[in-house]
Amino acid sequence: MKEDTKKEVAKSAIQFIKFGIVGMSNTIISLVVYYILVFFGINYIVANVIGFVVSVFNAYYWNSKHVFKVSENVSKLKSFMKVFASYGGSYVISLILLVVLVDLIGISEYIAPLLKLVITVPINFVLNKFWAFKEKK
């Protein structure tokens, strides 16, 4: 393996670890919002949407500052919109999984959000790394 390739693989591995840490904070924020709203009688789908929106703001902030490091000459609005779209795409998958897990399979609405992460986290990483925060060569 070429030295440049090794460095790129190492950089991506470190980014994935950092992305995972940010993702944990997103998950905690999203779940706290979700569980609070469900506790107060808000429909689980509505609670999931609100938790998602709150967590995207968190994701953008930390990913742009510490994971992918958006340069100063990149439009913050354009970058945020790409992040929102990236998370939005995986959110659609997430929502479908949530409905399938809760309504069709009968898994608890408190457990299902945790199970869907197995699919949505890798999707989010790929979309953020290779599109939303893609470095220009």
Side-chain angles (χ1 to χ4, degrees):
M1 188 182 291
K2 291 183 179 178
E3 192 62 35
D4 288 343
T5 305
K6 287 180 184 178
K7 286 181 183 178
E8 190 59 36
V9 168
K11 179 181 177 185
S12 292
I14 291 168
Q15 282 179 325
F16 187 75
I17 291 167
K18 288 180 179 181
F19 187 82
I21 293 168
V22 170
M24 285 188 284
S25 72
N26 292 341
T27 301
I28 291 167
I29 289 168
S30 179
L31 289 174
V32 165
V33 170
Y34 174 85
Y35 291 139
I36 288 171
L37 294 174
V38 167
F39 177 79
F40 284 108
I42 303 297
N43 177 277
Y44 74 93
I45 294 173
V46 173
N48 195 55
V49 170
I50 294 169
F52 162 75
V53 171
V54 172
S55 72
V56 169
F57 282 98
N58 180 69
Y60 174 74
Y61 177 80
W62 292 106
N63 284 328
S64 67
K65 299 288 184 196
H66 300 290
V67 179
F68 303 108
K69 297 183 181 152
V70 176
S71 66
E72 292 300 318
N73 61 354
V74 172
S75 164
K76 302 285 188 229
L77 179 60
K78 184 177 179 181
S79 179
F80 177 76
M81 295 308 291
K82 283 183 171 184
V83 167
F84 200 85
S86 295
Y87 277 86
S90 68
Y91 175 75
V92 170
I93 294 167
S94 173
L95 185 58
I96 292 167
L97 287 171
L98 187 64
V99 170
V100 167
L101 292 170
V102 172
D103 290 341
L104 298 179
I105 297 175
I107 294 173
S108 165
E109 62 190 24
Y110 293 97
I111 303 283
L114 300 172
L115 297 177
K116 66 186 171 97
L117 295 174
V118 173
I119 295 172
T120 58
V121 170
I123 290 170
N124 276 328
F125 178 76
V126 169
L127 288 172
N128 277 274
K129 179 171 178 63
F130 296 108
W131 182 60
F133 293 109
K134 184 178 180 181
E135 295 177 11
K136 293 187 179 185
K137 300 271 177 174

